[in-house]
Amino acid sequence: MPVAYSNVYLQSAGMFLPGAPVDNAGMDAFVAPLNRISERIKRRILAENGIQTRHYAINGEGQTVFSNARMAAGAIEETLALAGKKLSDIGFLSSGSSGGDALMPGFASMIQGEMAAPPMETLSVHGVCAASVGAMQAAAMAVESGAHALALSVASEMPSRLFKRSRFAAQGYDTDFDAHFLRWMLSDGAGAVLLGGPKALPQANGLRLKLKWTHQRSFAGDYPVCMQLGLTADRGTSHLDFPAWSDAEAAGALALRQDIRLLPHLFDVCIHEYAALAHQGWVPERGIDHFLCHYSSERFIPVVDELLGKAQLSIARERWWSNLAWRGNTGAASIFIMLSEFLQKQGQRLKAGDTVLCFIPESGRFTAGYMLWEVEPDASAEQTPEAGFPRKSAQSAQSAALPDDALPDVSTIAAPHDPAAAPSQLAPLLTELASIWQDYRSNVWRTPLLQRMRTRQLQITDYLRWMSHWIPQVREGSLWMREGAASLTGDYATLASLIDLHAGEEQNDFKILHSDYLKAGGTETDINRLRRNPGGEALNAYLHNLAATPNPIGLLGAIYIIEGTGQRIVPSLLPLLRQSLPLPPDAFRFLEYHGANDENHLERWLLAVQMALELDSEGTAQQAILQTARNTAAMYLMQFQHVLAER
């Protein structure tokens, strides 16, 4: 029977991912070197699971960079920051994990010690993927009972330590398939949720997320062990039964194994359990609006889909949401990380009455876990103006009648290129770039400038300030591109003409923007007197400096973010700007031009990237493009943040 709640709400959800994303080609630097057999296993598994990037808390030498407790603390810190709370506000802390850094004491106690947290009630739930459900259920019951006003639940996993070279070297790399399998499936990370009474979510304006019920059920009595650590391959001997740890290691009792032959039974069991819940009335008859399913591999998507269909409980695929491709499978932490990122990227899309179902099948010895959330309007938020914004002017009051969707949902702002539609050799790079893009666009959507647009409080003076910062920044674009083209030598020199062509098309764009500025009421006719804000200055200096280095292929990452902003973000703002600001139609020519023209620019960019990767003899081009994209996104975001920073 599910546990139902009447007064438990999500205050915030946060996550911690250690280090930079690691793509499939880069995995060998973190996990064990491969023999011929394991190379085939790797190719087969990666071809099926759909994971393109993941994170590791160890370095290339196998040394721990972030402990499991430290990752959990990082997720908690982000969660508290989002909710505006301190550790001293928390009365209850529960953890879910397959194992902490020590066998004893409990993981929750180790996290509390890591953070030097004040005295509080703690609970450590040991398990596999569904340990997060058990931990959160305990936290929810603490809030529901009134024992604690606020309760934290965190889940963290660090399997990478089991996969490092030294551990597999002891086996001579000849361990069975079951031990090799999980090396290509699991990765590190932590997620956390803060539960309490009714409160609007920071990621979903004017809405709150109520926990309706949680449910978990184990079928360990019906099935043998499927995923295990601490038993020999035949499951007959515990690692504790050996004379010494070294003997247990040599016998393979300390290898993490997955019996994949049992996995097909897992989803059958879990969907049957869900069907039973639906028939008992726990699932709304109208269905589920958002489905967060913790599948470990994309090959299981059609399996779950088919089983739901057979149970007449189909959930349309457009309602499914997963971050498996760019975050990997982080075990118990996965559902919390998924929920956190879902709210960051889709929070503005939620509407009152929506249901969010979290489904966690656990393969340890088969456990089914579920959480059902429902979106409610926050009455107090509706009555209170948003902090940080001035009171509405007469102009903004008039525009308050505009439709709520005038500023589009951030989730609809697609990445500049769809990895699935690109040539196969570009898919890994474009997948990582899409992840960078998603974080960037989400952060841009939360800047004061965009928030003022969304709340119909943008004034003409705000628009002019934005333009005055942007004009000198745009003017530099063609200059650093030409500098970069001139720095291309050797095989890369063939790219110079393509980049020069791009620069030539961009060189007069700043004049269009300056004309818009003047038509909107700007008074500075001398462009040389306009100044970039700190974010624009940082971006300009960075790109000119990079362009002057030998073969600056990384600039293609900068173009991805800059042109993507012009082709994806800017056009989405235009309808609301037109409705909100009493300006002539020709005061937005630059925004219109970029929305229409940058599509061609992006197609040319794709060709340039393909050429760059084919010419890359040192294997460094992809990482250079990704790093420059990250840096450019950070500084372009700063440019947006500083538009209204100084008045």
Side-chain angles (χ1 to χ4, degrees):
M1 180 71 71
V3 180
Y5 309 95
S6 59
N7 196 42
V8 179
Y9 292 80
L10 184 68
Q11 311 290 291
S12 61
M15 60 185 177
F16 180 87
L17 286 306
V22 178
D23 63 14
N24 292 343
M27 293 180 70
D28 292 1
F30 294 86
V31 301
L34 306 174
N35 60 14
R36 187 170 59 185
I37 296 173
S38 60
E39 176 66 42
R40 289 201 300 269
I41 294 172
K42 174 189 176 183
R43 288 198 302 269
R44 171 185 166 185
I45 293 171
L46 291 178
E48 293 180 347
N49 65 23
I51 301 172
Q52 299 296 325
T53 62
R54 74 286 291 152
H55 297 258
Y56 292 123
I58 60 173
N59 61 21
E61 287 69 49
Q63 300 166 326
T64 296
V65 180
F66 299 96
S67 70
N68 208 9
R70 183 61 251 163
M71 288 195 296
I76 289 172
E77 288 163 356
E78 180 176 273
T79 302
L80 291 175
L82 285 169
K85 299 296 182 181
K86 307 184 294 295
L87 268 174
S88 57
D89 298 324
I90 309 304
F92 182 94
L93 170 66
S94 60
S95 68
S97 180
S98 59
D101 306 294
L103 296 176
M104 304 180 209
F107 190 35
S109 297
M110 297 300 286
I111 298 167
Q112 182 185 11
E114 174 72 24
M115 304 187 73
M120 61 179 63
E121 184 179 352
T122 65
L123 175 69
S124 303
V125 178
H126 179 80
V128 193
C129 303
S132 53
V133 183
M136 200 193 78
Q137 182 167 292
M141 293 174 70
V143 173
E144 180 74 10
S145 68
H148 299 283
L150 292 171
L152 263 169
S153 186
V154 63
S156 187
E157 300 280 22
M158 192 179 173
S160 61
R161 290 184 287 202
L162 297 169
F163 303 145
K164 57 189 179 183
R165 298 180 182 92
S166 58
R167 298 193 63 87
F168 272 76
Q171 298 294 313
Y173 310 112
D174 292 327
T175 52
D176 52 278
F177 177 88
D178 289 358
H180 277 282
F181 175 75
L182 290 171
R183 292 166 56 209
W184 316 115
M185 298 292 291
L186 301 178
S187 51
D188 304 339
V193 295
L194 177 63
L195 304 178
K199 181 186 176 184
L201 285 168
Q203 306 96 333
N205 182 56
L207 300 173
R208 60 194 184 194
L209 202 57
K210 182 177 183 178
L211 183 61
K212 300 290 289 183
W213 53 261
T214 56
H215 180 63
Q216 54 178 333
R217 198 174 192 194
S218 170
F219 298 85
D222 299 335
Y223 293 91
V225 175
C226 179
M227 180 180 177
Q228 60 92 1
L229 172 66
L231 301 174
T232 51
D234 63 1
R235 310 185 187 94
T237 307
S238 166
H239 68 286
L240 295 172
D241 293 325
F242 287 87
W245 288 103
S246 58
D247 298 316
E249 184 89 59
L254 297 178
L256 182 62
R257 287 185 171 84
Q258 177 87 72
D259 188 343
I260 64 169
R261 294 164 291 279
L262 291 172
L263 285 177
H265 299 287
L266 172 63
F267 293 98
D268 189 51
V269 166
C270 292
I271 297 300
H272 275 89
E273 184 67 14
Y274 178 64
L277 293 174
H279 295 150
Q280 295 166 16
W282 291 96
V283 180
E285 290 187 7
R286 64 178 184 83
I288 299 299
D289 299 295
H290 306 278
F291 184 41
L292 277 58
C293 180
H294 167 61
Y295 45 80
S296 60
S297 171
E298 288 186 350
R299 68 174 292 200
F300 295 126
I301 295 175
V303 176
V304 176
D305 199 17
E306 182 182 1
L307 289 170
L308 285 171
K310 289 180 177 179
Q312 298 184 333
L313 295 168
S314 294
I315 302 172
R317 287 289 297 277
E318 62 267 20
R319 299 182 180 184
W320 293 41
W321 196 89
S322 171
N323 57 2
L324 178 71
W326 62 92
R327 300 303 187 196
N329 179 3
T330 53
S334 289
I335 197 63
F336 287 173
I337 294 172
M338 196 185 309
L339 182 60
S340 172
E341 198 158 16
F342 169 76
L343 290 172
Q344 290 178 19
K345 301 182 185 305
Q346 306 281 325
Q348 295 296 327
R349 185 181 172 188
L350 296 174
K351 59 185 185 296
D354 277 3
T355 51
V356 181
L357 175 67
C358 298
F359 170 40
I360 307 93
E362 178 189 297
S363 63
R365 201 162 183 171
F366 292 3
T367 298
Y370 315 86
M371 315 172 196
L372 184 69
W373 306 84
E374 186 174 65
V375 181
E376 294 183 348
D378 181 46
S380 60
E382 292 174 354
Q383 299 168 5
T384 306
E386 286 192 52
F389 295 111
R391 298 181 69 85
K392 290 186 177 181
S393 65
Q395 175 187 310
S396 60
Q398 292 173 359
S399 59
L402 295 173
D404 290 339
D405 60 355
L407 183 63
D409 192 353
V410 64
S411 66
T412 67
I413 313 300
H417 282 288
D418 180 5
S424 58
Q425 67 269 30
L426 298 183
L429 171 61
L430 293 179
T431 299
E432 289 204 43
L433 285 172
S435 179
I436 295 168
W437 171 264
Q438 289 162 350
D439 288 340
Y440 165 69
R441 74 168 184 196
S442 179
N443 288 326
V444 168
W445 236 243
R446 296 197 296 272
T447 59
L449 177 68
L450 272 292
Q451 291 295 315
R452 191 162 294 184
M453 290 184 193
R454 181 181 58 78
T455 55
R456 285 84 168 173
Q457 297 178 27
L458 192 76
Q459 305 293 315
I460 292 177
T461 53
D462 300 324
Y463 179 71
L464 291 174
R465 184 177 177 84
W466 180 23
M467 298 297 105
S468 71
H469 294 174
W470 206 7
I471 292 165
Q473 180 178 324
V474 172
R475 181 173 60 174
E476 295 294 317
S478 63
L479 300 179
W480 58 256
M481 277 190 270
R482 286 202 167 100
E483 290 171 7
S487 298
L488 296 172
T489 59
D491 293 339
Y492 285 128
T494 57
L495 282 169
S497 60
L498 199 62
I499 296 174
D500 275 331
L501 176 63
H502 189 108
E505 292 182 356
E506 297 254 311
Q507 65 182 6
N508 291 316
D509 284 5
F510 73 95
K511 295 180 180 178
I512 303 174
L513 185 57
H514 186 233
S515 173
D516 290 349
Y517 162 82
L518 294 174
K519 289 175 180 174
T523 57
E524 186 54 74
T525 57
D526 185 356
I527 293 176
N528 293 315
R529 293 177 62 87
L530 296 175
R531 292 289 180 265
R532 293 174 289 273
N533 65 35
E537 286 290 350
L539 182 59
N540 181 61
Y542 170 70
L543 293 174
H544 276 293
N545 183 69
L546 182 58
T549 62
N551 292 324
I553 295 300
L555 288 174
L556 291 170
I559 294 172
Y560 175 89
I561 296 296
I562 293 170
E563 296 291 338
T565 300
Q567 204 280 323
R568 296 287 189 255
I569 293 178
V570 165
S572 68
L573 305 178
L574 188 55
L576 184 56
L577 286 171
R578 286 189 179 280
Q579 295 177 66
S580 301
L581 301 177
L583 293 173
D586 59 353
F588 306 99
R589 291 174 58 234
F590 179 82
L591 304 184
E592 289 178 331
Y593 165 79
H594 265 265
N597 199 53
D598 283 357
E599 190 70 49
N600 295 327
H601 290 180
L602 285 168
E603 290 305 315
R604 188 184 299 136
W605 174 88
L606 193 65
L607 176 61
V609 170
Q610 193 166 359
M611 291 174 61
L613 295 187
E614 290 173 353
L615 295 168
D616 179 26
S617 58
E618 298 180 356
T620 59
Q622 177 163 315
Q623 286 305 314
I625 292 170
L626 289 170
Q627 189 57 53
T628 306
R630 291 189 193 95
N631 294 341
T632 301
M635 285 178 273
Y636 213 141
L637 173 63
M638 193 190 309
Q639 192 267 349
F640 275 103
Q641 290 170 329
H642 278 275
V643 171
L644 302 179
E646 300 176 4
R647 306 296 297 169

